[in-house]
Amino acid sequence: MTTTTTIDSEASLGRLVGDHPEFAAVFESLGIDYCCGGDTPLRRACEENGLEVEAVLERLATTDSTDELAPAEASITELVDDVVETHHDYLRAELPSLERTVRKVARVHGDAHPELEAIEAAFLELQEEVTHHIADEEENVFPELPKLENDAPLTAAEEGQIREAIDHLEAEHDAAAARLEEIRTLSDDYAVPSDACTSYRNALDRLQLLEADMHRHVHAENNVLFPKAERALEGR
């Protein structure tokens, strides 16, 4: 079924995707940053990307809705579990395998396509940063967040540590987004060269899928989980 509610063009991108998860794919296809740019109103995002807001609104309104629970409706515990099971587990499985493919493609096709060396370097930096990032979240931050909705006692110092951790994680999200944008630019928006072999095509396809999943991942944290945690801190 399609979205039937009126879409507010002044609503933030993060709020829109939080209420309507199916909008993420539309924004992804249009190159609209709804994760790190989640605070941006839809109208301004359209203007910045040279898009007609009415055309974007029409496309959103005719997008098939999903039966999945909208992240904005989930509890902190549900959001933490979903991030780990949907995104962290995917990254743990995908990054080592994709590394092997990216290295192979750069080695075999690097002479004809020198940009592959830069793509490999950017990917390896992204992999190292993201691997450390998700371990830090699961070991040091995520175990603390459910306490905010369970009325578990926290000292002022512990509350301050949660706020500082959120700021730090958001900064790391920005860095990951920059790496992904670098890979997209170097690959000319994942364009497949005429001489690309199956592994080359596979690497580009998977890098693009990695970018899309990371956008959803960052959105779920920056625009839904972290604001919900901050509101819980303010209400204590």
Side-chain angles (χ1 to χ4, degrees):
M1 57 183 294
T2 56
T3 301
T4 57
T5 56
T6 301
I7 302 169
D8 181 4
S9 64
E10 298 303 328
S12 70
L13 299 172
R15 175 186 163 192
L16 288 170
V17 176
D19 291 340
H20 304 281
E22 66 273 14
F23 287 179
V26 176
F27 292 146
E28 197 77 43
S29 69
L30 295 172
I32 293 177
D33 176 13
Y34 64 89
C35 52
C36 293
D39 290 337
T40 306
L42 173 60
R43 183 175 296 277
R44 178 150 60 87
C46 290
E47 293 171 353
E48 291 174 351
N49 287 275
L51 301 168
E52 291 291 338
V53 66
E54 295 303 327
V56 174
L57 287 169
E58 181 178 355
R59 182 167 172 184
L60 293 173
T62 56
T63 299
D64 288 339
S65 60
T66 176
D67 292 332
E68 68 181 278
L69 176 68
E73 300 172 2
S75 68
I76 289 175
T77 299
E78 289 172 328
L79 289 168
V80 167
D81 289 344
D82 182 67
V83 166
V84 173
E85 294 169 7
T86 302
H87 303 293
H88 287 193
D89 287 352
Y90 159 75
L91 289 168
R92 273 188 283 267
E94 176 66 0
L95 289 176
S97 174
L98 182 53
E99 176 192 349
R100 291 190 290 272
T101 301
V102 168
R103 285 185 181 276
K104 173 184 175 182
V105 170
R107 183 179 68 254
V108 174
H109 296 276
D111 289 342
H113 298 278
E115 71 277 4
L116 288 172
E117 182 177 345
I119 291 174
E120 178 186 19
F123 172 79
L124 293 176
E125 290 173 350
L126 174 70
Q127 179 184 23
E128 181 179 2
E129 293 166 357
V130 168
T131 300
H132 175 272
H133 177 86
I134 63 176
D136 182 31
E137 284 187 329
E138 292 183 17
E139 294 170 12
N140 302 312
V141 184
F142 283 2
E144 302 301 312
L145 297 186
K147 296 178 182 179
L148 298 176
E149 61 187 358
N150 296 331
D151 295 324
L154 292 173
T155 66
E158 288 172 329
E159 291 184 7
Q161 288 172 354
I162 291 176
R163 289 190 171 94
E164 289 178 7
I166 288 174
D167 289 342
H168 176 69
L169 293 174
E170 288 179 338
E172 291 186 342
H173 289 164
D174 290 340
R179 297 282 187 215
L180 291 165
E181 182 61 30
E182 180 183 2
I183 292 171
R184 173 177 282 276
T185 299
L186 288 166
S187 65
D188 192 22
D189 290 338
Y190 307 106
V192 179
S194 58
D195 60 341
C197 65
T198 300
S199 293
Y200 199 151
R201 293 173 181 272
N202 178 258
L204 291 174
D205 286 344
R206 290 167 67 187
L207 285 169
Q208 189 167 15
L209 289 172
L210 172 66
E211 180 188 45
D213 183 82
M214 283 292 294
H215 287 168
R216 288 171 169 80
H217 178 177
V218 170
H219 159 73
E221 294 187 18
N222 278 19
N223 303 324
V224 187
L225 173 59
F226 294 162
K228 187 164 289 194
E230 288 166 347
R231 288 194 296 272
L233 281 169
E234 293 169 0
R236 293 177 72 86

